[in-house]
Amino acid sequence: MSSRSWKQSRKSDTNNDKRWFHVKVNMDMKLTPWLAILILLASTAITFSKEVVHGFVGSNGIEPYSIVILIFALAYICISLDESGLLSYVAVHVTSRWGRNGRVLLLCFYALSTIMAVITNNDVVVLCLTPIICIFSDTTGADAEPFLIAMFIAANTASMALFIGNPTNIIVAEANDISFLSYSAWMGLPFLGAAVAGIAVLYLTSLRKIPQTIAIDMTIRPRDMLRKIRQAAIGAGILVSCLIALSVSSFFGVAVWIVTLPFGVAMLLVDSAIDIHTSRSTRTLSMIPEPVSVSEPDIQLHEFPAAPQLLAPILRRLPYGIIPFSLGMFIIVESLSQQGWTPRLAWVLKRMCSSPAAAVFIVGAITTLACNVLNNLPMSILFSRALQHPIFAQVDSSSRKGAMFALIIGSNVGANFTLVGSLAGLMFQGIASQKKREIGYFTFMRWCAPVMVAQLATACAILVAELAIVQQ
């Protein structure tokens, strides 16, 4: 081949290469379930009218869309409180009061998270306290990682204490007709045991990471953190009212999302009204003429800066990624049920649950691991259906009850293993990333795995003891 013909051939190949282009698609946890759903739809393994629709709407008293509404309503209220400066006020106050001793402060954050999770739920605690701890780290220079982990572990542990503490509790309790008082009576002691075991292991494993003394900047006053006092006061009142309504609603059988949604909408209307009022006041002030002398006939106007918008930052911070991830996982679980995996799972559990103790420890361990494959909400739906299946109904009543409450333990404690174990984990990672705190999956597992094992063993042992006492 001559040199000229070789060059022409090379030029032709180059022109052909230019016809190709590369498309880069970033896949994360939010989109991965939908990729699996598209593959299943394309292969006709599932249908849109059956698995997809039922996965969104739900059945047998389990409604996936209502869980998303519940989380978003609570998320909006808590993010609005953060934008008002109330959470920053709490952060600086806690820091100035107990922040000089790092180990004492770790216990304080753990206790505060536990109390808040018992009164509210784990999602509220993560939404409220994650930015507080990050602000504390910014003001003191202390490493935020052990305090964030302590908060997250305490929130997921204490969320098992009451019916309203975690949406997974609501799923299991409503599927099995467990009353508010009955739930609290059975889960109170396992929660306390898991909480004590958790802080004991965490304290011992984090001693090297926590400074004994922390330098506090006393020039920063808590009062200076409040940016919108009116919004903070109204928002705190709405949150407290919402929590009281949630506690009372369980006695009347009202769906939790129906109770929560009006409070979220009320907070949205309050923020909108504050924005409108602020913008009108700013425009009115901008029209006030500047005093002029006789020699200056031209009227000059004051220049005021634009009013800071309140609603837009809140809407930008909402955890939108939860919607595609959670709904996608619900559809996949529905597909598993429609394809006959629920009776298969019920048969396996029946074979393994030969006694109440075996039922508690085996179901607790399996559901804890399943949380980190399916996420705790879809996992709770799948296992609730399996435990309700006629095949598993052949197990004795004590073992069935032990498996049911072990499912609740696993759905809460299982979130303390990986970030994908719960929606709270995804929100936790997102908020921490917004505050310039990157906590990777392996870092999270290294912190939480020893704590999770101790909590699971303790809670299951206490539940077995309760079953034995009641059976006698």
Side-chain angles (χ1 to χ4, degrees), residues 149-229:
I149 297 297
M151 176 273 300
F152 187 81
I153 289 174
N156 284 314
T157 306
S159 62
M160 77 171 77
L162 295 181
F163 184 95
I164 61 174
N166 195 328
T168 61
N169 304 345
I170 299 170
I171 290 172
V172 179
E174 289 185 348
N176 295 277
D177 295 325
I178 306 173
S179 67
F180 184 87
L181 293 178
S182 177
Y183 179 96
S184 303
W186 277 99
M187 294 307 299
L189 289 179
F191 142 67
L192 288 175
V196 173
I199 188 57
V201 175
L202 181 65
Y203 186 83
L204 293 175
T205 56
S206 62
L207 285 177
R208 297 179 180 179
K209 287 270 189 175
I210 305 172
Q212 289 189 354
T213 58
I214 299 176
I216 304 297
D217 186 0
M218 300 305 296
T219 61
I220 302 176
R221 298 181 302 171
R223 178 64 177 78
D224 297 335
M225 297 293 103
L226 285 173
R227 297 185 294 273
K228 297 277 186 179
I229 299 177

Side-chain angles (χ1 to χ4, degrees), residues 70 74 121 164 241-250 256 259-260:
L70 168 67
L74 291 172
N121 63 40
I164 61 174
S241 302
C242 178
L243 299 177
I244 294 174
L246 285 172
S247 301
V248 174
S249 66
S250 60
V256 178
V259 177
T260 309

Side-chain angles (χ1 to χ4, degrees), residues 48 66 158 168 179 231 271 286 289 334 336 387 459 462:
F48 182 85
S66 66
T168 61
S179 67
Q231 180 200 6
D271 293 337
S286 65
E334 180 66 25
L336 292 173
L387 296 181
I462 294 174

Side-chain angles (χ1 to χ4, degrees), residues 303-324:
E303 293 184 1
F304 288 85
Q309 293 296 310
L310 181 62
L311 194 59
I314 299 173
L315 295 177
R316 282 195 297 267
R317 290 180 56 189
L318 286 174
Y320 296 106
I322 288 175
I323 297 176

